[in-house]
Amino acid sequence: MAHPKRRLPGNADGDFYVDGSCIDCDTCRWLAPETFFRTAGQSAVRNQPQSPESRHRALLAVTACPTASIGTLSPAPEMPAIRAEFPVPVADEVYYCGYHSPKSYGAASYFIRRPEGNVLIDSPRQSETLAARLLALGGVRWLFLTHGDDVADHAFWRDRFACDRIIHEGDVTRSTRTAERILKGADDVELAPDLRIIPVPGHTKGSCALLYRNRFLFTGDHLAFSERRGHLYAFRDACWHSWPELTESMEKLRGHPFEWVLPGHGRRFHSDAETMRGQLEACIRWMRGPG
Ligand code: SF4
């Protein structure tokens, strides 16, 4: 739990604060950008929430934070209701789960509600509150693991929902070798008519993306949006397998239409399909260049 004695000096005076346990995962900054900012390699409170909406977003960040690094000096009576708010809608039947795990360095996870079976994309941290909410939404049929870094509490979710865990063999470790479905090869896999698995090796050997309804692309750590660059990009400094393969995998995405990029790390992006194609081309040009 955050402790006021470890309050970082960069925090604005007032109720909300970030303490020294922050791992700089970026979650609070995109969830509540009017409240949190980056300074000295960690997050801190730039402005105390000034409106009910800002306070609500800041409290969502308290729940989402993987390391419980955000605190309030006075108790927040809304917290039980805020904790039960996740997963929160993104668009249509797609939800963002919150409850980031330190085991995945605070990666985001998502949930798709569909009549043919719900999908959890990457593992949130273990939470009975979140599990109850997912159960109320129909449970989990598949736990799709985009890559080996973001498996976190996969065994908990498997036990809770008897869901099939899916991961590519290139990223299987001792922890995930009991996964119910282990993918092989470089070809796309049609999990269902509306769900396509696209192997995108590069960030890791077994990285895969999941495309839902030709609209939502869940990218793990393959692809995200950079606000600084103003276009989609990949993590050149956090490429654990092969940058040339990652670039080829990015080119492979040209064959798929999508309107949403929903990453594990980095910022999400939404546009019409044509703008997205331009964004993807900008990313590929950047990847082919000096960086
Ligand atoms: S969510 Fe928590 S760990 Fe992540 S940047 Fe914010 S305070 Fe730090």
Side-chain angles (χ1 to χ4, degrees):
M1 291 293 291
H3 197 287
K5 280 191 175 163
R6 295 195 293 158
R7 181 182 182 116
L8 290 169
N11 286 289
D13 289 344
D15 195 24
F16 282 78
Y17 65 92
V18 176
D19 81 2
S21 63
C22 168
I23 59 171
D24 191 30
C25 76
D26 189 40
T27 302
C28 58
R29 301 195 291 265
W30 63 258
L31 254 179
E34 69 277 37
T35 298
F36 299 99
F37 78 128
R38 187 170 194 265
T39 178
Q42 289 176 300
S43 283
V45 172
R46 186 201 320 254
N47 299 302
Q48 294 293 332
Q50 297 295 318
S51 67
E53 295 76 20
S54 291
R55 179 176 171 82
H56 180 250
R57 283 191 286 272
L59 291 174
L60 286 174
V62 169
T63 302
C65 176
T67 45
S69 303
I70 307 169
T72 53
L73 295 176
S74 46
E78 318 95 303
M79 276 317 290
I82 294 276
R83 287 192 201 101
E85 209 170 305
F86 288 108
V88 295
V90 174
D92 297 347
E93 317 84 2
V94 173
Y95 298 76
Y96 156 61
C97 292
Y99 289 91
H100 296 232
S101 169
K103 296 174 189 169
S104 60
Y105 202 75
S109 58
Y110 304 91
F111 178 78
I112 307 173
R113 190 183 192 194
R114 49 195 291 286
E116 304 82 8
N118 299 335
V119 189
L120 185 58
I121 296 108
D122 287 329
S123 172
R125 76 174 179 266
Q126 179 173 334
S127 161
E128 286 297 343
T129 305
L130 179 62
R133 287 280 294 127
L134 297 184
L135 185 63
L137 290 168
V140 179
R141 167 75 182 83
W142 287 300
L143 170 51
F144 177 75
L145 299 166
T146 58
H147 66 299
D149 298 341
D150 293 352
V151 303
D153 292 323
H154 65 97
F156 169 81
W157 299 105
R158 158 69 189 173
D159 290 347
R160 200 66 175 70
F161 292 108
C163 53
D164 286 352
R165 292 163 295 177
I166 304 172
I167 188 167
H168 195 280
E169 66 172 351
D171 274 23
V172 168
T173 63
R174 190 176 172 142
S175 160
T176 48
R177 65 186 174 190
T178 56
E180 288 63 39
R181 185 160 177 186
I182 295 178
L183 307 169
K184 298 178 190 300
D187 294 337
D188 291 3
V189 175
E190 191 178 284
L191 189 59
D194 56 346
L195 287 167
R196 174 172 291 270
I197 297 170
I198 308 169
V200 285
H203 171 70
T204 61
K205 190 176 178 185
S207 285
C208 291
L210 181 69
L211 181 60
Y212 172 57
R213 286 180 38 202
N214 286 334
R215 285 193 69 208
F216 299 91
L217 187 69
F218 301 91
T219 56
D221 288 350
H222 174 66
L223 175 66
F225 184 74
S226 166
E227 292 189 345
R228 183 168 67 82
R229 293 183 176 86
H231 61 73
L232 291 173
Y233 81 124
F235 300 113
R236 197 188 287 262
D237 296 335
C239 175
W240 315 131
H241 175 59
S242 163
W243 185 253
E245 271 191 61
L246 207 164
T247 307
E248 284 175 27
S249 295
M250 206 64 81
E251 292 177 335
K252 186 175 166 187
L253 292 179
R254 283 176 169 144
H256 300 285
F258 53 94
E259 300 169 11
W260 286 86
V261 169
L262 296 169
H265 290 108
R267 303 295 171 98
R268 61 178 75 160
F269 185 69
H270 171 52
S271 72
D272 59 82
E274 191 177 332
T275 302
M276 190 65 84
R277 269 196 295 277
Q279 279 285 331
L280 185 63
E281 290 306 323
C283 176
I284 292 168
R285 276 196 303 278
W286 170 77
M287 292 179 78
R288 290 276 179 213

